[in-house]
Coordinates of all heavy atoms in Angstrom, one line a residue:
L1 N 12.3 10.8 -5.7 CA 12.6 10.2 -4.4 C 11.4 10.2 -3.5 O 10.4 11.0 -3.7 CB 13.7 11.1 -3.7 CG 15.0 11.2 -4.4 CD1 15.9 12.2 -3.7 CD2 15.8 9.8 -4.4
V2 N 11.4 9.3 -2.5 CA 10.3 9.3 -1.5 C 10.9 9.3 -0.1 O 12.1 8.9 0.0 CB 9.4 8.1 -1.6 CG1 8.5 8.1 -2.8 CG2 10.2 6.8 -1.6
A3 N 10.2 9.8 0.8 CA 10.7 9.9 2.2 C 9.5 9.9 3.1 O 8.4 10.4 2.8 CB 11.6 11.0 2.5
G4 N 9.7 9.4 4.4 CA 8.5 9.3 5.3 C 7.8 8.0 5.2 O 8.4 7.0 4.9
R5 N 6.5 8.0 5.6 CA 5.8 6.7 5.7 C 5.6 6.0 4.3 O 5.3 4.8 4.3 CB 4.5 6.9 6.5 CG 3.4 7.7 5.7 CD 2.2 7.7 6.7 NE 1.2 8.6 6.2 CZ 0.3 8.4 5.2 NH1 0.3 7.2 4.7 NH2 -0.6 9.2 4.9
C6 N 5.8 6.7 3.2 CA 5.6 6.0 1.9 C 6.9 5.4 1.4 O 7.0 5.0 0.3 CB 5.0 6.9 0.9 SG 5.9 8.5 0.6
A7 N 8.0 5.5 2.2 CA 9.3 5.0 1.7 C 9.2 3.5 1.5 O 8.3 2.8 2.0 CB 10.4 5.3 2.8
S8 N 10.2 2.9 0.9 CA 10.2 1.5 0.5 C 10.5 0.5 1.7 O 11.7 0.3 2.0 CB 11.2 1.3 -0.6 OG 11.2 0.0 -1.1
T9 N 9.5 0.0 2.3 CA 9.6 -1.0 3.4 C 8.5 -2.0 3.2 O 7.6 -1.9 2.4 CB 9.5 -0.3 4.7 OG1 8.1 0.1 4.9 CG2 10.3 0.9 4.9
T10 N 8.6 -3.0 4.1 CA 7.5 -4.0 4.1 C 6.4 -3.4 5.1 O 6.6 -2.4 5.8 CB 8.0 -5.3 4.7 OG1 8.4 -5.2 6.0 CG2 9.1 -5.9 3.8
H11 N 5.3 -4.1 5.0 CA 4.1 -3.7 5.9 C 4.5 -3.6 7.4 O 4.1 -2.6 8.0 CB 3.1 -4.8 5.6 CG 1.8 -4.8 6.5 ND1 1.1 -3.6 6.6 CD2 1.3 -5.7 7.3 CE1 0.0 -3.9 7.4 NE2 0.1 -5.1 7.8
I12 N 5.2 -4.6 7.9 CA 5.6 -4.6 9.3 C 6.7 -3.6 9.6 O 6.7 -2.9 10.6 CB 5.8 -6.0 9.9 CG1 4.6 -6.9 9.7 CG2 6.2 -6.0 11.3 CD1 3.3 -6.4 10.4
A13 N 7.7 -3.6 8.7 CA 8.9 -2.7 9.0 C 8.4 -1.2 9.1 O 8.9 -0.5 9.8 CB 9.9 -2.9 7.9
Q14 N 7.4 -1.0 8.2 CA 6.9 0.4 8.2 C 6.2 0.8 9.5 O 6.2 2.0 9.8 CB 5.9 0.6 7.1 CG 5.5 2.0 6.7 CD 4.1 2.4 7.3 OE1 3.6 1.7 8.2 NE2 3.6 3.5 6.9
A15 N 5.8 -0.1 10.3 CA 5.2 0.2 11.6 C 6.2 0.7 12.6 O 5.8 1.2 13.7 CB 4.5 -1.1 12.1
S16 N 7.5 0.5 12.2 CA 8.5 1.2 13.0 C 9.1 2.4 12.4 O 9.2 3.5 13.0 CB 9.7 0.2 13.3 OG 10.8 0.9 13.8
S17 N 9.3 2.4 11.1 CA 10.0 3.4 10.4 C 9.2 4.7 10.1 O 9.7 5.7 9.7 CB 10.7 2.9 9.1 OG 9.6 2.6 8.1
R18 N 7.9 4.6 10.3 CA 6.9 5.6 9.8 C 6.9 6.8 10.8 O 6.3 7.9 10.5 CB 5.6 5.1 9.7 CG 5.0 4.6 11.0 CD 3.5 4.2 10.8 NE 3.0 3.5 12.0 CZ 2.6 4.0 13.1 NH1 2.6 5.4 13.2 NH2 2.2 3.3 14.1
V19 N 7.5 6.8 12.0 CA 7.3 7.8 13.0 C 8.2 9.0 12.7 O 9.0 9.1 11.8 CB 7.6 7.3 14.4 CG1 6.6 6.2 14.8 CG2 9.0 6.7 14.5
T20 N 7.9 10.1 13.4 CA 8.3 11.5 13.1 C 9.9 11.6 13.0 O 10.4 12.2 12.0 CB 7.8 12.5 14.1 OG1 6.4 12.4 14.3 CG2 8.2 13.9 13.7
A21 N 10.6 11.1 14.0 CA 12.1 11.3 13.9 C 12.7 10.6 12.7 O 13.6 11.2 12.1 CB 12.7 10.7 15.2
Q22 N 12.2 9.4 12.3 CA 12.8 8.8 11.1 C 12.4 9.5 9.9 O 13.1 9.6 8.9 CB 12.4 7.3 11.1 CG 13.2 6.4 12.0 CD 13.1 6.8 13.5 OE1 12.0 6.9 14.1 NE2 14.3 7.2 14.1
A23 N 11.2 10.0 9.9 CA 10.7 10.9 8.7 C 11.6 12.1 8.5 O 12.0 12.4 7.4 CB 9.2 11.3 8.9
L24 N 12.0 12.7 9.6 CA 12.9 13.9 9.6 C 14.3 13.5 9.0 O 14.8 14.1 8.2 CB 13.0 14.5 11.0 CG 11.8 15.3 11.5 CD1 12.0 15.5 13.0 CD2 11.8 16.7 10.8
A25 N 14.7 12.3 9.5 CA 16.0 11.9 9.1 C 16.1 11.5 7.6 O 17.0 11.8 6.9 CB 16.5 10.7 10.0
M26 N 15.0 10.7 7.2 CA 14.9 10.3 5.8 C 14.8 11.6 4.9 O 15.4 11.6 3.8 CB 13.7 9.4 5.6 CG 13.9 8.0 6.0 SD 12.6 6.9 5.5 CE 11.5 7.0 6.9
G27 N 14.0 12.5 5.3 CA 13.8 13.7 4.6 C 15.1 14.5 4.3 O 15.4 15.0 3.2
E28 N 15.9 14.5 5.4 CA 17.2 15.3 5.3 C 18.1 14.6 4.2 O 18.7 15.3 3.3 CB 17.9 15.4 6.6 CG 19.2 16.2 6.5 CD 19.7 16.6 7.9 OE1 19.2 16.1 8.9 OE2 20.7 17.3 7.9
A29 N 18.1 13.3 4.2 CA 18.9 12.5 3.2 C 18.4 12.7 1.8 O 19.1 13.0 0.9 CB 19.0 11.1 3.6
A30 N 17.0 12.7 1.7 CA 16.4 12.9 0.4 C 16.7 14.3 -0.2 O 17.0 14.4 -1.4 CB 14.9 12.7 0.5
G31 N 16.7 15.3 0.7 CA 16.9 16.7 0.2 C 18.4 16.8 -0.2 O 18.7 17.5 -1.2
I32 N 19.3 16.2 0.5 CA 20.7 16.3 0.1 C 20.9 15.6 -1.2 O 21.6 16.1 -2.1 CB 21.6 15.6 1.2 CG1 21.6 16.6 2.4 CG2 23.0 15.4 0.7 CD1 22.3 16.0 3.6
L33 N 20.4 14.3 -1.4 CA 20.5 13.6 -2.6 C 19.9 14.3 -3.8 O 20.5 14.4 -4.9 CB 19.9 12.2 -2.4 CG 19.9 11.3 -3.7 CD1 21.2 11.1 -4.3 CD2 19.2 10.0 -3.3

């Protein structure tokens, strides 16, 4: 699994999803999975 700024997004979408709060949220989901 991946989580944080290396997650599967496009170049421009990542410019939104890469920030701290979303990294925390993605990480929690990845840990559960």
Side-chain angles (χ1 to χ4, degrees):
L1 301 169
V2 289
R5 66 178 171 86
C6 59
S8 181
T9 70
T10 64
H11 174 53
I12 299 300
Q14 191 260 12
S16 167
S17 66
R18 65 177 169 79
V19 294
T20 307
Q22 280 60 59
L24 287 164
M26 282 188 268
E28 184 166 7
I32 289 169
L33 176 55

